[in-house]
Amino acid sequence: MSTLTRSLPATLALALAACGGEPPPPPPVFAADSVADSLIVPVVDVTTAVPRTDGSWALLAPMEGEIHVADFAADTVTLHPGITKEEVPGATALMHVGDTIIVGDWGLRRFTSWVPDGRRVDAVPTPEALRGAFPRARDAAGQWYFEMLPNPGRDGIGNLDSLAVVRGDALLTRFDTVAMLAPIDHAKVERDGATRYEAMPLSGRDYWGVQSDGTLWIARRVRNFVEWVPPGGGEGVRTPGLPDPVFTVEEMDRQIWMRRYEEVYRTQVRGVRFAMIKPPVERAFAGADGRIWLFKSAPALDSVRSFQVVDSTGVRAIVRVPSRGNALGVTATHILMAEEFPEGIRLLRYRMPDGM
């Protein structure tokens, strides 16, 4: 029985409670252990982290085009074995299937699969039909899932269209659209005497993932809910609208975003138009039990960050982490956060609170 099916009775129970006029009790609040393991990754930014069964994490550093391995047990951060600049000149995407990582490479327009000892076990060209998109997930049947950006056109106006989640068969010969995602917010700007539409930093996006049975989950930015789409299509389930405070984008948020760029580029970056309001969710992850962890927006440099842990009935728990950083992932035993640090990115690994 799928997670989607198991969640249906709970959804009905919530509806009945609402009809009776009894508000649901507030979700319990859990605090992650304030003592954390830490490692330093000597890179500008880490955008994606995937866990392995030995407790280590594979990390994508896109500005350097590198894949690192953070091993907390050994207290080391090293480049992933086998993944050289010759093999992967432009690492730009990272996902995993079990302990095998799959790296998208914009330089060679392909994605390659690697086992922990550094052996490359597959290399696949990006499908021409998907305009260079890299896979984001794979289900137990071997089907691939991609996020397709709209065709921007000459002036970028096509970027105002919706994104699509596209499923491909195991051999990447057939493709179908399984869901549409909200457009990314763009601003109309004048640059070099021409009008263009450029993405607005800090505006947020829809996040999604795929369960092993092919059920698609989507954290919707605009209306702030999570939905589950069954693998065969048809009507799924969704949470009620989720509670969320509203935070405006402040100057400190802009400065934090801009300092990821080298000084030589910052004059150009200062002309970028930012979003006015932060999105309700900055990242989203599927937990080991199938619940979705929503990493919530907060004021810049807030010393405690929060997750909403949700199933189809709504928010089941709040988890707070004593960190100013960004969330990179959750496992059954740990929460991984990343903080900017003078020497690079500091990884903080917190133990999962008891009861979660």
Side-chain angles (χ1 to χ4, degrees):
M1 183 183 295
S2 70
T3 302
L4 176 67
T5 303
R6 287 197 302 269
S7 66
L8 287 173
T11 304
L12 294 175
L14 182 69
L16 291 174
C19 291
E22 291 292 334
V29 178
F30 297 86
D33 197 319
S34 60
V35 178
D37 303 318
S38 65
L39 291 170
I40 302 297
V41 191
V43 297
V44 174
D45 195 17
V46 172
T47 57
T48 308
V50 298
R52 285 179 164 159
T53 54
D54 65 357
S56 66
W57 294 76
L59 313 169
L60 171 63
M63 292 193 179
E64 292 78 8
E66 295 174 346
I67 304 296
H68 292 251
V69 177
D71 188 335
F72 287 92
D75 197 29
T76 60
V77 175
T78 57
L79 288 170
H80 194 289
I83 304 181
T84 63
K85 286 297 184 181
E86 291 72 29
E87 285 284 345
V88 184
T92 191
L94 176 66
M95 57 166 282
H96 72 120
V97 179
D99 277 349
T100 298
I101 64 168
I102 298 169
V103 183
D105 174 16
W106 66 264
L108 297 179
R109 295 180 63 85
R110 69 179 187 180
F111 52 95
T112 50
S113 300
W114 303 82
V115 293
D117 65 9
R119 285 180 294 124
R120 193 189 78 188
V121 295
D122 202 4
V124 181
T126 56
E128 291 187 12
L130 303 186
R131 301 197 308 275
F134 295 112
R136 300 289 189 93
R138 201 175 192 191
D139 63 25
Q143 299 179 113
W144 299 91
Y145 295 79
F146 301 79
E147 182 174 294
M148 279 283 293
L149 297 173
N151 190 342
R154 292 184 58 185
D155 60 358
I157 194 171
N159 288 324
L160 303 180
D161 295 334
S162 298
L163 288 67
V165 178
V166 176
R167 177 175 55 206
D169 65 352
L171 299 178
L172 294 175
T173 58
R174 298 187 308 275
F175 303 95
D176 63 301
T177 299
V178 292
M180 301 302 295
L181 306 177
I184 295 173
D185 288 344
H186 283 70
K188 185 177 180 179
V189 298
E190 298 285 340
R191 293 195 186 281
D192 302 322
T195 299
R196 294 194 56 80
Y197 292 83
E198 296 182 355
M200 300 175 69
L202 307 182
S203 62
R205 59 185 299 134
D206 289 349
Y207 293 97
W208 61 274
V210 178
Q211 297 172 347
S212 61
D213 68 352
T215 297
L216 173 72
W217 61 265
I218 307 172
R220 297 286 189 183
R221 168 178 61 94
V222 176
R223 295 177 59 190
N224 195 21
F225 62 82
V226 179
E227 67 174 318
W228 289 260
V229 180
E235 187 175 357
V237 296
R238 64 175 60 177
T239 66
L242 301 173
D244 188 66
V246 176
F247 298 107
T248 58
V249 173
E250 305 293 345
E251 182 59 28
M252 180 57 70
D253 297 297
R254 301 183 185 95
Q255 293 297 325
I256 291 171
W257 185 87
M258 287 191 293
R259 72 188 182 195
R260 295 188 176 97
Y261 291 84
E262 296 181 15
E263 187 64 38
V264 67
Y265 298 116
R266 290 185 186 173
T267 300
Q268 301 174 15
V269 171
R270 288 190 182 97
V272 171
R273 286 184 54 186
F274 286 79
M276 297 181 63
I277 303 295
K278 292 186 176 184
V281 173
E282 292 184 9
R283 301 288 298 275
F285 311 94
D289 58 1
R291 294 184 297 181
I292 307 303
W293 287 60
L294 305 176
F295 183 58
K296 306 299 291 182
S297 290
L301 301 180
D302 199 344
S303 61
V304 177
R305 301 302 304 268
S306 297
F307 294 86
Q308 289 176 343
V309 185
V310 308
D311 63 16
S312 61
T313 66
V315 180
R316 301 306 303 271
I318 304 292
V319 177
R320 292 178 177 156
V321 182
S323 170
R324 292 181 171 86
N326 299 313
L328 287 179
V330 297
T331 69
T333 56
H334 290 93
I335 299 168
L336 187 67
M337 303 288 292
E339 295 182 350
E340 294 185 16
F341 192 69
E343 299 175 24
I345 298 297
R346 182 169 63 177
L347 301 179
L348 299 172
R349 188 179 71 157
Y350 296 86
R351 289 189 291 271
M352 187 66 68
D354 293 338
M356 287 302 302

